[in-house]
């Protein structure tokens, strides 16, 4: 396993894969200078991201925790939102590669900050999802169809990405189960 030719190695979405990638670079003879590094894209705990960064630094690499948001359609279009944690120089060096994957790349702070931002994103999104489910049940109890409710509130103060993309999670789950 050698990454000497690779400006940035993106790791598949699992904590084990991210940890294994960092571990394999240790002792491999690779002594990289920025922009050589590892960019784990999965959602990991901030402490895991910091630990991976510390291990990678021992191997002369930089790790960016760079979780994404946007779903499969935006991923295919290169239009993801990427929340990056890591060293300023490593983020600057990796930005051109990250911008191929995402239209919005935001440096959130040191290692772990990207992971913390992704967790905050998920908390906000799932809170909204729960609220929309509750609102649909309330309206349905009074004879209002879900589609009509979501259309009516979409341009008001209750409008949200979740409401405007109702059914998104069902489609993602079906695609995940299928593929």
């Amino acid at each position: 396993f050698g990454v000497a030719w690779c400006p940035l190695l993106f790791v598949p979405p699992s904590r084990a894969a991210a940890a294994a990638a960092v571990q394999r670079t240790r002792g491999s003879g690779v002594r990289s200078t920025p922009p050589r590094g590892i960019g784990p894209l999965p959602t990991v705990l901030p402490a895991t991201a910091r630990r991976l960064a510390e291990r990678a630094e021992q191997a002369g690499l930089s790790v960016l925790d760079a979780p994404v948001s946007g779903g499969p359609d935006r991923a295919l279009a290169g239009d993801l939102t990427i929340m990056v944690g890591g060293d300023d120089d490593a983020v600057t060096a990796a930005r051109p590669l990250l911008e191929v994957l995402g239209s919005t790349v935001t440096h959130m702070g040191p290692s772990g900050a990207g992971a913390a931002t992704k967790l905050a994103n998920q908390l906000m999104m799932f809170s909204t999802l729960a609220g929309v489910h509750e609102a649909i049940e309330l309206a349905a109890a009074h004879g209002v169809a879900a589609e009509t409710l979501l259309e009516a509130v979409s341009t008001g103060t209750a409008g949200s990405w979740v409401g405007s993309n109702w059914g998104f999670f069902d489609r993602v789950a079906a695609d995940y189960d299928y593929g």
Side-chain angles (χ1 to χ4, degrees), residues 3-4 25-34 36 56-61:
V3 295
T25 60
R26 295 178 78 193
S28 67
V30 175
R31 290 295 178 256
S32 304
T33 57
R36 300 217 190 301
E57 189 176 322
Q58 294 170 4
L61 297 167

Side-chain angles (χ1 to χ4, degrees), residues 13-102:
S14 81
R15 279 192 319 232
V22 170
Q23 195 62 33
R24 275 181 267 184
T25 60
R26 295 178 78 193
S28 67
V30 175
R31 290 295 178 256
S32 304
T33 57
R36 300 217 190 301
I38 299 172
L41 298 172
T43 303
V44 298
L45 293 174
T48 300
R50 288 190 298 273
R51 200 167 40 254
L52 290 172
E54 290 168 6
R55 288 182 187 164
E57 189 176 322
Q58 294 170 4
L61 297 167
S62 297
V63 166
L64 303 177
D65 50 297
V68 300
S69 183
D73 292 339
R74 287 183 56 200
L76 289 172
D79 189 32
L80 291 169
T81 296
I82 306 175
M83 301 150 267
V84 187
D87 174 78
D88 289 340
D89 291 338
V91 173
T92 299
R95 185 172 291 279
L97 295 172
L98 294 169
E99 287 174 345
V100 171
L101 300 172

